[in-house]
């Protein structure tokens, strides 16, 4: 059985999550999917860069990272770009932090890998939201894949759902709850608290950042809407093409008014075909309680796809989490593994 | 481009649905999935049996069937078994009526096809609920597939979801709304009507049969639970292993009591691993309004999969319908087409 050689950039929550899963599921993956692997390279800003063509000791690396220690084995002095070029991996997992303004170094990481004939799997929204069409073209030219299930709703099947079991359906509209933090806050506000009070709790729980702007102003959801428009509906939208309104102006009175109308506020991201054009938007909406999206509470995400053959199909699942996002990386690695069996 | 040769047994709602889709999507399927087809054989109790190795005229056949006329072209005097053996198809679509007691002639149809090296795609719950493990084994031995997405929740991705984008997750529990008729009735009863009144409306609308036993006593849901246990969780349950209670005893008072407790009655089919054994059941349950299944109203179906890596993932979509079930046949035909590209 040929082993898939994996390189990982970013050994934070998701990087450690996928390594935990790979270790835990090693035997099952061999048995069920004829899939075996070795992690040959890891790069991390805090822990250091390591490389071993025969496979790194990821158990030890996980222990070191959890103890906030630097890696001690197989250290190399290469920068990330050199590591990508020299590691001879089959798949690069780009798991560094998301920068929706510039894309950060992740864009160079992805391009370097694709141009070197290395498949890229990423949960980093930067490259996908800012440059999906270009990335996809570079992947095509180099006969590799650029897979991004983890950029929307963690490992909950979204892109691989439309690309797989929904193939053959035409999708005319996508609407959903794409940001767990704001959905949690709106759920809590129904219990009678005001915006500021709820934000404080969300921050204490680690759902919202110290600077919550990216979530509460809808920027995170806007990045995901851009990705869905470009990946699922074949558009070429820029993030700035998507009008965006967050939840900061929702008052306790608004919440009460919705209740009185058998409805509930949700921050809705949507993509729609209108007059032949694809249009995205992010805005709070009052959703009737009978709609499947209305029952999606807390940090959960959900998306409704409007299709020609099935009508509406809704998927509900986790929108974040170490193992949940780690799974998005596994599912895309398995997709590459399966397609590599194709002549 | 090699054309996939399709044979269709049963030219009723689903048989006509898949033919409508195939005609409507012919060019798109060629372009997007490199898939082309011809329907070489059709058998129908009312319309007759027809065969043409170069492809039947399905437009004309659809017109004839809609006008309740017999087929006029390419008629053969073969019975169904002879038709299956002589048609030289790549895929047989078994779309005759479901018989959950004996399986009816569908079991022989499926076995004959599989043994003749023909893939089988079916929305008929009989063979799948009564003999899935055997059918799958015959398919394996003959190097073909026995695919049954349409037996549960029409074309809403269920089996192809667990088999595809959820691959790598271990599923420990499946719970959901598997019967649209009873879900419609329970939804209507919330509006203040009693069981008998709502049943009458469901019958007038064509949701419930003149003899509604199969739906209201939970037998249809029990067949689907058996299929999910055997296909998704690898059990070998018989239908009679699944305890089953319908909705006939739910009173207006029960509905009111649920409302008072922020809950709602649903007929829930479930499959669960308990102490290493796989257990299925069908029974009405009071579901808290905050649960994703509570918001699923009318004739819609929904299933929640409890997984090790993603926690709960719920899919909501149509549970019946001409085109919706027709799509389940297309999705499985495309699955066979894609896997035939594998070395």
């Amino acid at each position: 059985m040929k082993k898939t050689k994996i390189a990982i950039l970013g050994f934070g929550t998701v990087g450690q999550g996928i390594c935990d899963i790979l270790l835990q599921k090693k035997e099952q993956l061999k048995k069920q999917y004829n899939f075996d692997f070795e992690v040959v390279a890891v790069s991390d800003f805090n822990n250091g860069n390591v490389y071993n063509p025969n496979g790194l000791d990821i158990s030890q690396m996980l222990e070191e990272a959890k103890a906030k220690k630097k890696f001690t084995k197989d250290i190399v002095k290469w920068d990330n770009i050199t590591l990508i070029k020299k590691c001879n991996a089959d798949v690069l997992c780009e798991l560094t932090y998301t920068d929706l303004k510039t894309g950060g170094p992740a864009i160079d990481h992805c391009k370097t890998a694709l141009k070197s004939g290395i498949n890229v799997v990423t949960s980093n929204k930067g490259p996908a939201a800012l440059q999906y069409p270009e990335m996809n073209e570079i992947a095509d030219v180099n006969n590799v894949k650029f897979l991004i299930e983890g950029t929307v709703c963690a490992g909950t099947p979204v892109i691989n759902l439309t690309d797989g079991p929904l193939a053959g359906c035409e999708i005319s509209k996508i609407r959903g709850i794409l940001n767990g933090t704001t959905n949690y806050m709106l759920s809590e506000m129904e219990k009678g608290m005001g915006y500021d009070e709820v934000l404080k709790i969300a921050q204490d729980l680690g759902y919202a950042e110290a600077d919550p702007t990216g979530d509460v102003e809808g920027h995170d959801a806007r990045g995901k809407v851009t990705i869905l428009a470009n990946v699922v509906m074949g558009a070429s939208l820029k993030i700035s093409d998507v009008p965006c309104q967050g939840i900061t102006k929702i008052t306790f009175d608004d919440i009460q008014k919705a209740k009185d109308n058998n409805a509930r506020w949700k921050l809705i991201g949507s993509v729609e075909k209108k007059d032949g054009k694809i249009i995205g938007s992010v805005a709070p909406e009052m959703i009737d309680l009978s709609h499947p999206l209305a029952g999606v509470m807390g940090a959960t995400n959900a998306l409704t796809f409007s299709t020609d053959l099935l009508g509406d199909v809704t998927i509900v699942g986790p929108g974040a989490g170490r193992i949940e996002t780690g799974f998005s990386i596994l599912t895309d690695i398995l997709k590459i593994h399966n397609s590599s069996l194709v002549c």
Side-chain angles (χ1 to χ4, degrees), chain A:
Chain A
M1 194 184 303
K2 187 187 166 289
K3 290 185 179 184
T4 297
K5 289 175 190 241
I6 299 173
I8 296 174
L9 296 195
F11 205 66
T13 312
V14 184
Q16 293 177 39
I18 177 63
C19 285
D20 272 336
I21 295 173
L22 286 170
L23 281 181
Q24 181 202 324
K25 298 249 172 183
K26 193 173 171 69
E27 289 312 311
Q28 187 201 329
L29 293 169
K30 255 193 217 173
K31 211 173 124 186
Q32 246 182 307
Y33 308 106
N34 218 22
F35 172 80
D36 198 6
F37 68 91
E38 51 200 359
V39 178
V40 294
V42 168
S43 113
D44 187 80
F45 187 74
N46 295 314
N47 306 96
N49 289 9
V50 291
Y51 168 70
N52 187 330
N54 300 313
L56 297 163
D57 181 351
I58 54 176
S59 295
Q60 184 178 325
M61 289 165 58
L62 282 165
E63 278 175 32
E64 288 167 345
K66 277 163 201 170
K68 309 218 168 201
K69 286 182 185 164
K70 285 194 183 296
F71 297 140
T72 52
K73 264 194 210 167
D74 300 318
I75 296 156
V76 288
K77 298 234 175 243
W78 305 334
D79 62 16
N80 287 352
I81 297 294
T82 310
L83 190 77
I84 296 167
K85 287 182 176 166
K86 291 203 171 184
C87 69
N88 194 28
D90 301 303
V91 183
L92 175 80
C93 306
E94 216 299 340
L95 311 175
T96 65
Y97 63 94
T98 288
D99 176 343
L100 280 176
K101 290 209 175 98
T102 68
I107 288 191
D108 279 346
H109 297 159
C110 292
K111 284 188 180 165
T112 304
L114 296 171
K115 286 179 184 168
S116 310
I118 300 172
N119 296 282
V120 172
V121 168
T122 185
S123 57
N124 187 321
K125 290 179 283 292
L130 295 165
Q131 297 196 11
Y132 182 78
E134 296 91 314
M135 289 291 173
N136 209 27
E137 208 183 308
I138 300 173
D140 273 355
V141 169
N142 291 281
N143 206 21
V144 288
K145 293 187 186 296
F146 177 64
L147 299 182
I148 61 166
E149 179 65 76
T151 60
V152 182
C153 304
T156 303
V158 171
I159 291 159
N160 293 337
L161 178 70
T162 59
D163 198 25
L166 289 180
C169 279
E170 199 182 316
I171 294 169
S172 56
K173 190 159 72 173
I174 309 175
R175 270 164 64 78
I177 297 163
L178 291 161
N179 181 272
T181 306
T182 47
N183 200 53
Y184 169 81
M185 289 174 66
L186 290 170
S187 296
E188 289 300 299
M189 281 172 80
E190 276 196 30
K191 297 179 185 164
M193 283 178 280
Y195 175 85
D196 293 328
E197 195 180 350
V198 168
L199 175 59
K200 175 87 179 48
I201 295 173
Q203 284 170 325
D204 288 347
L205 284 169
Y207 286 164
E209 314 264 338
D211 174 4
T213 318
D215 289 323
V216 298
E217 295 291 2
H219 301 160
D220 171 74
R222 179 159 70 164
K224 292 168 180 169
V225 160
T226 311
I227 291 170
L228 289 172
N230 294 351
V231 181
V232 178
M233 295 179 64
S236 302
L237 295 190
K238 302 278 172 209
I239 291 181
S240 56
D241 294 332
V242 178
C244 175
Q245 192 189 326
I247 64 160
T248 52
K249 287 176 189 155
I250 304 249
T251 63
F252 181 70
D253 278 356
D254 293 326
I255 300 276
Q256 205 51 46
K257 203 174 133 193
K259 255 191 191 169
D260 296 343
N261 286 290
N262 274 323
R264 179 173 276 160
W265 286 96
K266 293 290 176 193
L267 183 64
I268 298 292
S270 72
V271 187
E272 197 170 348
K273 250 182 221 170
K274 258 187 192 165
D275 307 325
K277 271 185 71 179
I278 292 172
I279 291 167
S281 84
V282 173
E285 284 184 35
M286 265 209 273
I287 302 287
D288 194 272
L289 286 185
S290 67
H291 192 280
L293 293 178
V296 177
M297 304 303 278
T300 305
N301 282 192
L303 278 174
T304 298
F305 301 92
S306 298
T307 74
D308 57 345
L309 301 181
L310 289 177
D312 282 359
V313 173
T314 299
I315 189 141
V316 185
R322 167 195 173 85
I323 294 296
E324 293 84 347
T325 312
F327 173 72
S328 74
I329 305 304
L330 175 66
T331 197
D332 278 345
I333 292 176
L334 286 177
K335 198 172 173 181
I336 290 165
H337 171 67
N338 289 334
S339 71
S340 75
L341 302 172
V342 174
C343 307

